Every structure is written in structure tokens, then in C-alpha cells.
Amino acid sequence: MKQLKNAFGVSFLWLICLIYFTQGFRSFVWTAVSYQLKDKLKLSPSASQFVAAVAFFPWSIKPLYGILSDCIPIKGRKRIPYLVISTVLSLVPWLILGLNAFFRSSTWHLIVLLTAQNLGSAMADVVVDAMIAEAAKSERAAFAGDLQSLSWLAMAFGGICGSLLGGYALTNIEIDRIFLLFTVLPAIQLLSCGLVKENRVSTKVLKEFSSSNGYHQVNGNESILDDEDGFSEEKNNISTKKRKKNKKNQKKRVFKIRKSQIPEKSNPLVIQWFHSLKAAIYSLYSAFRQPEILRPMAWFFLAHVAVPNLSTVMFYYQTEILNLEASFLGTARVVGWVGLMLGTYTYNGYLKRLKLRRILLLTQVGLSILSFLDIVLVSRMNLTVGISDKTMVLYGSALVDAVNQFKFMPFLILSGQLCPPGIEGTLFALFMSISNFGSTVGSFFGAGLASSLSISSGSFDNLLLGIIIQALCTFIPIAFLFLIPKGATGVPA
């Protein structure tokens, strides 16, 4: 830890850990949101899940935040100003919801504020990842692995604290007070942004970025991510042609150049930003359209979309039919975090050398088997063999999170292997967005399934059928495993 402090500075480490801790601690306030939708607004399970799916959509467009912060510096700085903006977006909605009962009681106002809050959290997540990536490329790269581990540890600790305290708070504090209490962390984060100094990005660096990463014409065709030798050779050929022109044409060319430079003098930054944005978008498009990247990402998207998400419906069932307290559900989420860490350890120790196709096959089969636990719970078969509802929920949460980690770890590793040099951060953000967008669409499908089966608050007669459909859908991604590279393993390249 002392070496990390010497390498990065106390203020930098504090800000990184605080942001990741806050991301994990969000479970504290989002548990209150679930009860607000259910108990105060009296929304049905499908409507509540629809609200959550819309509110979490900003996590599906994370590359946009990365491109903006990379290409459009604010007062010469690319990270801290965007971190300040994202923190304000994370702070203000909770203040409004905590102080104004009207916005808490209006479904559409609540959707807008929750979406804005997620926009701030997602942007902060992208910016802090970029800060870590930049630190890894500097002379302090030897500590990059320790820094990433510290970040994950902070987020896990935040998740555990948020889950425990969230359940306790709901039994002792009003929901509006919970919203206000959570604002303490974004407020501290906002103040901490002023402790970290960031070097200004010069106009020259911005020009070099737009010229080196942008697309240019080669033989009349657009070419992206061309090699430096080819680019230099093209420049030499152009220079040779220019030297062969006569003085008359040369004067015309000079006149045209001066004429074209008039708007650039009036607003050069806008032009540089435009070229930088165009360069980043074309580079991202060129890389993503390659089959070796597009095919596996299509599988991970399909793996989320094909399985309808009924988590909100199960939350209603657990609180209304099983009468589980908020404090217990918080404990169950803590056990889920433990299961997640256990899944990571198991993967790294025993599974990472297997072929990814085999790992993902086992994961999908495992998830379908674990769906049987929900079938047992909803059908009440667990009581006939003397197993309590709390035991089923507690161990089911841990096992599901552990098995889901077997799918998430290969996703992270494969994403790292597929990212070409130069746009790793933005492309990785795109990969994460694909996964998040797939989860969002899966939540919409889950809401639609619950609505079509007439599952509502107090009416769960068809919930068993819904869970059976969900279990059967977990087999659908298996049929498309051919999209995953055949020889890929879980060992980082």
C-alpha cells in the first residue's frame, strides 16, 4: 500500500477508491428505490421492472462518455471536469427525491431523475476507468495490477456495506431520508475532485490525436487504423507531386489553402473536436465490424437477451408472499457478493485454462439448474422437505452470483484479447455497453413476460410458469456457441 501511495499519490488513490466504493454502495439507495416503486407508487412487478430497465439505459451507451472525454477537453482537461459533471448528475437527483415528495410520487418524474442519476454514475465509471488506464501506461505501470485490485476491493466492500446498511435503514428510516443520506458520498466525491491535479491537454496534442487516429483516403477509399509506414509513403508521394507543379498552380493552391483556413482561425477548437470525434467513431466502427470481434460480442448480447429477467417479480414475491424483511434481503445480497468473489476464485483456480466454449456451456447449464431452486421455492416444495424459505433465498443468491461470474470472467478476458491497440478503453467500454444493453433488453422481455402472464402484486398464480419459461430460455445461447472463437481459453493473452 505504501508503494501505491508513493507511485500515484494519496489524493489520486483516495478518489479512485471513493468512486468505486460509491459504485458498490449504490445498493444502499437502490434497495429503497425498489420499495418506493412497490409500496409507495403501488406499481405492478412488470411496471416496476420497466421503470428500472429505462433508468439503467445510460449504462448501455458508455462509449459515448469515453469518446467525449477523450476528444473534447474542458478547459484543457479530459478527466476531472467530466468527473465533476458526472458527480453532480449523481448527486442532484437524490437531493431532489429526498426533499420533494411530488417527484417521489410521480412515476415519470422518478424515471427522469433515476435515469439522470445513472447517467452520472455510468459517466463516472468510464472516466475513472480511463484514469486507471492512463496510469497503467505511464512509468507507474508496474503498479497497475495492484491499482485495479484495490479498485475491485473497494467496490466489493462498498457493495457489502450498502447491502447490509440498506436493509437495516429500510426498517428504521423513511425512504426520503435514505435518499438524502446517500448524497453524502457524491458530495465527498465532488469535493475530492479538487484534490487531484490533471495536466492540461495542449492544442498540439489534440491535433496529433485527430490526425493519428482519424481515417484518410487511400486510392479513393476510406482506410482506418492504417500502419505508419504506409501513411509515410503516401505523404512522400504527395510531396513529390507537389514539387512537380508549376508556379501558376502553386499560387492557386496557396490561395485556396488560405481561403480554407479562414473558418479554422475563427473557431479552430470546434474543428479539432470534430476531427477527433470523427476519428474515434470511425476507428471504433472499423474495429467492431471485424468478424472476430462482432461474433463473440453478438453471443454475449444474445445470452442476456434470450433469457427474460424476472428479478423484480421475484422481489415482489419474496416480500409479499414469503414476507421476507428488508434487512434479510440485504443480507442475501451480501451473500451474493461473497458468491461473486467465490466464483472469481474458482474460475481463476480451476476453469481459466478450459476452452471458453466449454466454460460458457457449463455456465448456461448451471444457470438452468439453479432456476430449479426458484421453481422449488415458488411451488413451496422446499417446505415439504423441511427447508426454510430464507435458506433457499440465501443460498440461491450466492450460487447464482457465483455461476454468473463464470460467464462474466470470460467476457472480461475475451474483451481484453479482442481490443486492438490504441482504442482499448473505448472499445472495452463498448463491450461493457453491449452486455449492459443486453441486460436491459432482457429486463424489458421479463416485464413483458410478467405482464402477459398477468403476474401482479398479490397475484402470482402464473409465476411458476414464468420461471419455467425462463429456465428453458437459458438453453437458447448454447445453440449459438459457434460464435465464440473455437480455440479461445480463459487465460489472458
Side-chain angles (χ1 to χ4, degrees), residues 309-323:
N309 187 344
L310 296 175
S311 59
T312 302
V313 179
M314 286 302 298
F315 167 74
Y316 274 64
Y317 180 80
Q318 291 169 359
T319 54
E320 293 185 4
I321 303 301
L322 304 184
N323 296 317

Side-chain angles (χ1 to χ4, degrees), residues 443-479:
S443 295
F444 281 124
F445 284 169
L449 177 62
S451 179
S452 63
L453 294 177
S454 300
I455 300 173
S456 60
S457 181
S459 177
F460 297 94
D461 295 337
N462 293 326
L463 178 57
L464 181 61
L465 177 59
I467 294 175
I468 292 174
I469 293 174
Q470 182 188 50
L472 293 175
C473 288
T474 57
F475 289 100
I476 295 177
I478 296 177

